[in-house]
Amino acid sequence: MGDIQDEPKMIGAGLTPTTVANSILRRAFGTGEHVTPMKLQKLLFFVTCLYQRYTGRRLLTESFQPWQYGPVCRSVYDEFKGFGGKPINRYAQDALGKVTAVDESSSPSLRKALNLVWENMGDLSAVKLSRVTHRPNSAWSQAVAGHKTFISNRAMANDHTFDNLLGM
């Protein structure tokens, strides 16, 4: 899988979706849990929702799009689409082949969101996670109903439709 380096970027400026996705994959590879591209998208979405709820700040440099099977970050889709429905077995790389993940010690709020989502939803299937994103009044369903190109960060921060899965 190669070496993974923690990205020291300031989160206030936003992180690339693939950097945060690599932090999710680091957990998956560490536990042996299989993560398909669709599952990764949904986990990334829930982490982003929680982080934005906790902090009131945008997490990613890219917005989610309301695709048929739920929220999608295009750069993460492009990076892992070759896996189809199979488990991802490598980290995302930048144009120079460098692999980075979040320096979680620099953001307790992000570490909390990553841990809460992974511990409570990491073992759920991609289909189950997709169904959760489709719940009435979810940020995804609001974007679809409004014929929006992107899911708003405000709607994501206010999305409590998955709290029951987190024990909240």
Side-chain angles (χ1 to χ4, degrees):
M1 277 180 255
D3 292 336
I4 188 167
Q5 299 174 12
D6 287 331
E7 182 63 51
K9 286 183 187 173
M10 293 301 296
I11 291 178
L15 293 168
T16 64
T18 53
T19 297
V20 181
N22 280 345
S23 295
I24 295 168
L25 290 172
R26 180 166 40 194
R27 286 165 169 76
F29 298 153
T31 62
E33 182 68 40
H34 292 264
V35 174
T36 63
M38 185 167 129
K39 181 174 178 173
L40 180 60
Q41 291 282 352
K42 304 322 165 232
L43 293 171
L44 179 61
F45 177 76
F46 295 127
V47 166
T48 304
C49 288
L50 283 180
Y51 175 83
Q52 292 176 172
R53 186 188 306 172
Y54 294 155
T55 67
R57 293 191 318 263
R58 180 183 179 110
L59 175 61
L60 304 176
T61 57
E62 180 182 332
S63 295
F64 282 88
Q65 299 173 9
W67 288 19
Q68 179 181 358
Y69 296 109
V72 171
C73 256
R74 185 63 195 228
S75 61
V76 174
Y77 172 81
D78 289 342
E79 179 71 26
F80 296 112
K81 67 184 173 188
F83 288 95
K86 295 185 172 108
I88 297 168
N89 62 10
R90 64 166 178 82
Y91 291 109
Q93 300 176 2
D94 67 14
L96 300 174
K98 184 178 174 186
V99 174
T100 57
V102 177
D103 176 5
E104 295 176 29
S105 66
S106 69
S107 177
S109 296
L110 181 53
R111 180 177 37 229
K112 180 179 175 183
L114 283 160
N115 286 339
L116 193 58
V117 169
W118 182 254
E119 290 165 8
N120 292 284
M121 302 170 92
D123 62 344
L124 300 178
S125 72
V127 171
K128 168 73 174 173
L129 294 171
S130 177
R131 287 185 185 131
V132 172
T133 67
H134 284 60
R135 289 179 174 173
N137 300 314
S138 70
W140 176 89
S141 68
Q142 291 174 36
V144 169
H147 306 286
K148 304 289 185 189
T149 305
F150 295 99
I151 302 171
S152 85
N153 288 302
R154 178 173 287 135
M156 290 173 61
N158 292 324
D159 188 341
H160 291 271
T161 60
F162 59 96
D163 287 2
N164 66 313
L165 293 172
L166 302 175
M168 300 174 102

